[in-house]
């Protein structure tokens, strides 16, 4: 290593910044965040530093740098664009043994600034030893994505409960194991979701269980997660994290293999597939399964295609969890309508073509049965999106036309949208079913009816190996 990574305590320490421009201002702010006592030396002062100086938050001397400025200084940063000034700051600092950083001149520095991921009090510093600050920032971006924004709150809770845990679990090894499981389970998820009260309650239960004979029994956690329409990159950050951490995944037929591949290889996987013709697990059994797995103390992910609250029966599953007092969270996903529309180049609304959009299901039991208000669905200024509509399409077509829909209104069916297997078949309301049948379109597929479909020809951007019809 060329540099020793350390975290320097600056509180109350006198720091000097040479230079008064924007770069200097950035460094001043970094030092102030770490509670340093900052003064600036520069013949000129930019707007930002002037504000800080006027507010008395920094000291300021309007003059050029002299080595004497380093008296009683603990750390110095040179942020000028004058090579000679930077060199003399570096030389004077070295002579006095004061840590010095010269912005953008690694060869003049005795210390360098890392790229930061700040989840105070958790702080991660990334450095490439000056080789490539851009690369350091790319690494930082990855870490930013991997660490929930509320990571710091988790550290705070751990700090607040540290003594209690020490008393409750005197054995150091057991205590470490307790923290390991606690800090990555449901407790963390509750904190990340901003549910601090529930998190505290969950923590109390964990600690009580740990002190009893049956550690971790009954204190698992369920995440009801939307897996999106197929492309794994469409997962939310929270969905990705919960999938990667899950002990058990109960998944639907619609969840794509690409998404399932993100799970831990040792995670238990339950297929709760629900092809409309072959109900693998009845809903009630799925509900009970989730409760049982959580009671075993596991991190359970109930993974559903698209969004759990759009034709996903997510509501029924959480009702049971609530009744049984199982802690849970709901992670929304990209629903098939928005995912498929985007990947098919069909905007669901458009100023010229559609001011509203309606999602309906063609599944006879829960959707377009006898109670449907067909007239409300017939509106040339509205986009109609039909989930699970392939089988019922002839009837839907006939009803819409009988209720006044234009048989020539553009319509599309998107099969396996957002995946490498995506196919889009376009036609109009009267022809779509025949076209789809000819092309042997199968489930899952989504129907979009409305003038916006005419934009598909112009806006197609996602080309797949699938046979584009
Ligand atoms: N909760 C899901 C919908 C479940 S209903 C969501 O929000 O997307 C299942 C129906 O969704 C399928 O019959 C199909 O109409 C649609 N669907 C889901 N994923 C799809 C995909 N990748 N391509 C096309 N349609 C899809």
């Amino acid at each position: 290593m060329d540099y020793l990574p350390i975290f320097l305590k600056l509180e109350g320490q006198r720091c000097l910044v040479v230079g008064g421009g924007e770069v200097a201002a950035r460094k001043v702010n970094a030092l102030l965040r770490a509670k340093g006592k900052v003064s600036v030396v520069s013949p000129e002062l930019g707007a930002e530093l002037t504000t800080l100086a006027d507010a008395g938050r920094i000291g300021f001397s309007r003059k050029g740098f002299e080595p004497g400025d380093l008296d009683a200084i603990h750390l110095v940063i040179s942020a000028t664009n004058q090579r000679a000034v930077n060199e003399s700051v570096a030389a004077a600092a070295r002579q006095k043994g004061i840590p010095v950083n010269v912005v953008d001149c690694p060869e003049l520095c005795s210390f360098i600034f890392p790229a930061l991921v700040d989840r105070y009090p958790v702080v991660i510093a990334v450095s490439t030893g000056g080789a490539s600050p851009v690369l350091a920032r790319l690494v930082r971006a990855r870490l930013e994505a991997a660490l929930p924004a509320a990571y710091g709150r988790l550290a705070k809770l751990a700090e607040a409960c540290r003594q209690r845990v020490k008393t409750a679990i005197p054995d150091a090894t057991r205590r470490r194991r307790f923290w390991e499981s606690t800090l990555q389970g449901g407790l963390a998820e509750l904190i990340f979701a901003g549910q601090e009260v529930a998190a505290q309650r969950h923590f109390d239960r964990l600690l009580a269980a740990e002190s009893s004979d049956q550690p971790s029994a009954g204190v698992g956690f369920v995440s009801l997660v939307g897996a999106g329409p197929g492309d794994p990159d469409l997962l939310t950050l929270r969905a990705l994290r919960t999938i990667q951490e899950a002990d058990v995944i109960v998944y639907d037929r619609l969840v794509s293999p690409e998404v399932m591949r993100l799970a831990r290889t040792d995670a238990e996987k339950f297929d709760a597939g629900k092809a409309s013709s072959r109900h693998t697990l009845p809903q009630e059994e799925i509900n009970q399964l989730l409760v049982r797995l959580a009671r075993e103390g596991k991190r359970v992910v109930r993974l559903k295609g698209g969004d759990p609250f759009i034709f996903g029966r997510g509501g029924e599953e959480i009702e049971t969890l609530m009744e049984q007092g199982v802690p849970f969270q709901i992670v929304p996903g990209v629903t098939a309508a928005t995912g498929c529309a985007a990947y098919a180049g069909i905007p669901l609304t458009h100023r010229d073509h559609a001011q509203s959009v309606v999602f309906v299901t063609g599944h006879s039991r829960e959707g377009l049965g006898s109670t449907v208000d067909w007239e409300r669905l017939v509106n040339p200024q509205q986009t109609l999106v039909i989930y699970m509509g392939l089988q019922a399409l002839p009837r839907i077509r006939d009803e819409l036309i009988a209720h006044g829909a234009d048989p020539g209104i553009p319509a599309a069916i998107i099969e396996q949208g957002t995946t490498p297997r995506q196919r889009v078949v376009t036609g109009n309301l009267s022809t779509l079913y025949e076209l789809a049948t000819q092309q042997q379109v199968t489930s899952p597929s989504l129907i979009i009816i409305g003038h916006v479909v005419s934009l598909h020809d112009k806006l197609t951007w996602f080309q797949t190996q699938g046979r584009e019809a």
Side-chain angles (χ1 to χ4, degrees), residues 229 254 305-307 310-312 335-336 340 387-388 414 416-417 444-446:
L254 272 180
D307 181 275
I310 294 185
F311 306 127
T335 189
C340 295
Y387 288 68
M388 297 180 269
I414 301 147
Q416 301 212 39
S445 54
L446 187 87

Side-chain angles (χ1 to χ4, degrees), residues 228-230 252-254 304-313 333-337 340 361 386-390 414-419 443-447:
D252 272 0
R253 178 182 54 94
L254 272 180
K304 290 180 158 287
D307 181 275
F309 274 12
I310 294 185
F311 306 127
R313 300 209 185 165
V334 171
T335 189
C340 295
T361 159
I386 306 170
Y387 288 68
M388 297 180 269
L390 184 55
I414 301 147
E415 180 188 49
Q416 301 212 39
T418 81
T419 73
S443 181
S445 54
L446 187 87
I447 298 164

Side-chain angles (χ1 to χ4, degrees), residues 278-437:
R278 108 195 126 86
H279 277 256
T280 313
L281 273 187
Q283 188 62 48
E284 184 49 32
E285 272 180 44
I286 298 176
N287 301 352
Q288 292 308 329
L289 177 68
L290 297 179
V291 172
R292 178 169 64 75
L293 292 168
R295 293 248 163 91
E296 287 169 12
K298 292 180 173 144
R299 283 168 293 180
V300 183
V301 163
R302 171 66 175 117
L303 195 55
K304 290 180 158 287
D307 181 275
F309 274 12
I310 294 185
F311 306 127
R313 300 209 185 165
E316 297 171 39
E317 293 178 11
I318 61 167
E319 251 176 59
T320 310
L321 296 176
M322 279 194 145
E323 278 162 22
Q324 303 288 326
V326 173
F328 68 91
Q329 68 172 341
I330 300 159
V331 184
V334 171
T335 189
T338 51
C340 295
Y343 279 59
I346 301 174
L348 293 177
T349 66
H350 189 284
R351 279 193 298 171
D352 300 331
H353 303 294
Q355 283 69 49
S356 61
V357 52
V358 178
F359 297 171
V360 295
T361 159
H363 197 279
S364 52
R365 259 194 50 220
E366 35 198 327
L368 298 173
S370 51
T371 55
V372 179
D373 181 354
W374 291 100
E375 258 147 52
R376 204 176 47 83
L377 298 182
V378 177
N379 173 355
Q381 292 294 103
Q382 171 171 278
T383 306
L384 181 59
V385 180
I386 306 170
Y387 288 68
M388 297 180 269
L390 184 55
Q391 277 177 10
L393 184 53
R395 191 169 64 84
I396 295 168
R397 173 197 62 203
D398 295 346
E399 291 280 5
L400 289 174
I401 293 173
H403 286 82
D406 170 7
I409 194 162
I413 187 157
I414 301 147
E415 180 188 49
Q416 301 212 39
T418 81
T419 73
R421 303 166 294 281
Q422 170 172 305
R423 275 202 299 162
V424 182
V425 177
T426 54
N428 60 41
L429 178 55
S430 65
T431 60
L432 188 67
Y433 183 68
E434 273 69 39
L435 291 172
T437 316

Side-chain angles (χ1 to χ4, degrees), residues 164 178 190 198-212 214-220 294-295 324-327:
R164 254 178 76 203
F178 171 79
L190 286 168
Q200 189 62 57
R201 207 170 41 226
H202 192 61
F203 182 85
D204 295 343
R205 285 168 68 184
L206 284 170
L207 194 57
E210 183 67 32
S211 326
S212 76
Q214 281 184 304
S216 89
V219 280
R295 293 248 163 91
Q324 303 288 326
V326 173

